[in-house]
Amino acid sequence: MIDPVEALERADIKELEALAIGEFRPRGASYDANCDMPRENIEALFSRGWLTTTLPKEMGGKGSNLTTDDPATYLQALRVIARGCSSTAHCYQVQNHTAWAVHDLGTPEQRERFIKPMFMRPSLSGFVGSEAKRKHMYMMNTSAKRVDGGFILSGEKNYATNGPMMSFAIIFAAIDGVNNYLDNHQMLIVEPGMKGVTIDNDWYRPNGMRAAASPIITLDNVFVPDSHVLGEPGAYPRGRWQGRFHLGFTANYLGTTEGMYEWCRQYLIERGRGRAELIQMRMGEMRIALDAAGSLFHDAIRAFKTRSVVEAELLSMSAKSTAAHVAFELSHKLIHAVGSTALFDEYPLSRYLRDLETHVLHAGHDRTAQIVGQAVLNETFDSTLQR
């Protein structure tokens, strides 16, 4: 197994971090202002092979995901990208999770049609489960009606990350007439040009994470042929795929907070404020918190190779929740340490803060704590749930 600490110190990860800080972060202001996709950043990741990190080496990928002997490279890359641009890191995360799922669950024909082009051009893909008034993470309002040769898909999805650059999306739907989500949850591959597919890129105007464009997709009686049906009904929940996302969010929360902390550290040094004892104490407190969150993150990565999958998921939930709480704690302490001038638009600090405020809310951390509590009290629990 490639250890997380070893992966973080590798030359290619160090080069990626320098790219994220030196190029992705300065470009972030213009992306943020207009809710634009970070196209130049995506092209830079593509040219270095990072958009196919989770795919096997024999295909041209980097062979890193939680089921390989290298569970760390994918996640440490996500972490260092987030140090420069949290939005770009999320686009990278969603693209790599989608590629991983299509490879592992797809047919040879689907790999040829949907994965092979990922090595040819800097396009993106997406996992789209989110929708308004969803009853449960796995219980969809979007419906899939069986017809000859495929399904008729109807519904509305939101937060479709990578939408403006999306070559295809994996859409979650409920099969009509089947009530149990383990049997009715179906993944369908939808391409933007299909009849009845509308993507509303103007809807997405959040406070933060503005470059991780995540529009609404409306599906109006879209015919999805059998060639685009991904996996059997229930393959996603039964395969515990949602539990594999915990550490992706952990990496983003941790990396964004580390990037913010490092920028503030340099800001304080340049202004000669590092000699103040109160500042020294606060920066020391925050460094300790980051080190603790980083250690738990590394332990959770290792757990997917050394423990049962449920134990690994629970530890990942703890790591995700810890990274989120550290992000909120440091956000408050850092602005008091650096002062209000550091929040001017010419600096990246306000963008770091807004990205964290928005992205950390993606997962329900009270629910996470409840699930961990259910586990320790020997009650029934599902450690794959985000909310």
Side-chain angles (χ1 to χ4, degrees):
M1 181 185 74
I2 295 178
D3 189 77
V5 175
E6 176 188 343
L8 189 61
E9 295 301 317
R10 279 210 322 261
D12 58 344
I13 297 289
K14 291 293 186 184
E15 188 270 343
L16 182 60
E17 180 180 13
L19 180 70
I21 298 297
E23 297 185 24
F24 294 1
R25 186 167 71 187
R27 284 198 283 256
S30 61
Y31 298 143
D32 180 81
N34 301 305
C35 292
D36 289 334
M37 285 289 294
R39 292 180 183 273
E40 294 91 343
N41 298 354
I42 297 301
E43 290 168 1
L45 292 174
F46 168 78
S47 68
R48 292 162 174 81
W50 290 109
L51 294 184
T52 49
T53 305
T54 54
L55 294 174
K57 290 181 179 180
E58 53 268 28
M59 292 186 70
K62 296 185 183 292
S64 174
N65 62 58
L66 294 176
T67 63
T68 71
D69 62 358
D70 178 11
T73 296
Y74 152 70
L75 290 163
Q76 296 291 34
L78 201 166
R79 176 183 180 180
V80 301
I81 295 169
R83 289 175 179 175
C85 180
S86 184
S87 290
T88 300
H90 191 51
C91 295
Y92 160 94
Q93 175 188 347
V94 173
Q95 157 61 20
N96 271 286
H97 271 285
T98 308
W100 179 10
V102 173
H103 175 269
D104 283 17
L105 299 173
T107 64
E109 293 76 19
Q110 288 171 338
R111 295 190 195 105
E112 179 73 16
R113 175 162 183 165
F114 299 111
I115 290 182
K116 190 173 181 179
M118 294 179 181
F119 296 96
M120 301 176 183
R121 57 183 181 272
S123 62
L124 298 175
S125 54
F127 252 129
V128 189
S130 180
E131 56 184 35
K133 299 180 181 178
R134 182 172 54 177
K135 308 176 187 73
H136 180 280
M137 178 162 288
Y138 302 131
M139 296 172 66
M140 302 294 136
N141 294 311
T142 298
S143 65
K145 182 179 180 180
R146 205 18 147 161
V147 295
D148 289 343
F151 286 94
I152 298 296
L153 184 62
S154 298
E156 183 179 272
K157 293 293 188 179
N158 55 21
Y159 291 99
T161 301
N162 291 337
M165 292 182 67
M166 188 180 287
S167 59
F168 70 89
I170 298 174
I171 300 291
F172 293 178
I175 300 174
D176 276 2
V178 182
N179 295 322
N180 184 342
Y181 72 79
L182 287 173
D183 297 317
N184 76 12
H185 188 286
Q186 182 64 64
M187 291 179 286
L188 302 169
I189 299 175
V190 169
E191 297 174 271
M194 287 179 167
K195 184 179 179 181
V197 176
T198 304
I199 300 176
D200 180 4
N201 290 314
D202 292 330
W203 172 78
Y204 188 73
R205 292 293 184 272
N207 178 53
M209 296 296 289
R210 291 166 64 85
S214 303
I216 286 176
I217 298 181
T218 301
L219 305 154
D220 184 10
N221 292 313
V222 178
F223 175 69
V224 181
D226 285 332
S227 61
H228 287 49
V229 177
L230 181 63
E232 297 296 322
Y236 187 83
R238 285 194 173 96
R240 311 187 71 85
W241 279 87
Q242 191 69 37
R244 305 180 191 192
F245 280 81
H246 293 314
L247 287 181
F249 287 103
T250 309
N252 200 318
Y253 302 160
L254 179 60
T256 304
T257 309
E258 289 172 329
M260 178 175 65
Y261 176 88
E262 179 59 21
W263 183 86
C264 289
R265 187 182 74 84
Q266 292 291 341
Y267 183 91
L268 291 167
I269 291 171
E270 290 168 5
R271 282 152 184 78
R273 297 180 62 188
R275 292 183 292 272
E277 291 184 355
L278 182 60
I279 296 295
Q280 292 169 357
M281 183 190 72
R282 293 295 181 220
M283 293 300 286
E285 287 178 338
M286 290 186 275
R287 184 68 262 172
I288 291 167
L290 282 171
D291 287 344
S295 293
L296 184 54
F297 174 57
H298 291 165
D299 282 347
I301 295 173
R302 296 183 188 108
F304 277 91
K305 301 286 101 179
T306 61
R307 302 190 188 186
S308 71
V309 65
V310 174
E311 290 175 313
E313 288 168 352
L314 288 169
L315 192 58
S316 298
M317 297 181 92
S318 294
K320 179 181 66 176
S321 185
T322 298
H325 287 298
V326 168
F328 281 136
E329 178 187 2
L330 267 63
S331 295
H332 179 76
K333 288 184 176 180
L334 283 170
I335 58 175
H336 285 277
V338 297
S340 59
T341 302
L343 293 170
F344 283 21
D345 285 346
E346 64 188 279
Y347 302 122
L349 180 56
S350 64
R351 194 164 66 253
Y352 276 124
L353 292 167
R354 288 186 288 104
D355 286 349
L356 283 169
E357 287 174 352
T358 299
H359 201 40
V360 169
L361 293 176
H362 185 280
H365 299 289
D366 289 342
R367 180 73 176 112
T368 294
Q370 181 191 5
I371 292 169
V372 173
Q374 288 171 330
V376 301
L377 293 170
N378 298 328
E379 298 293 332
T380 301
F381 66 92
D382 184 349
S383 51
T384 70
L385 298 181
Q386 291 278 27
R387 294 186 180 275

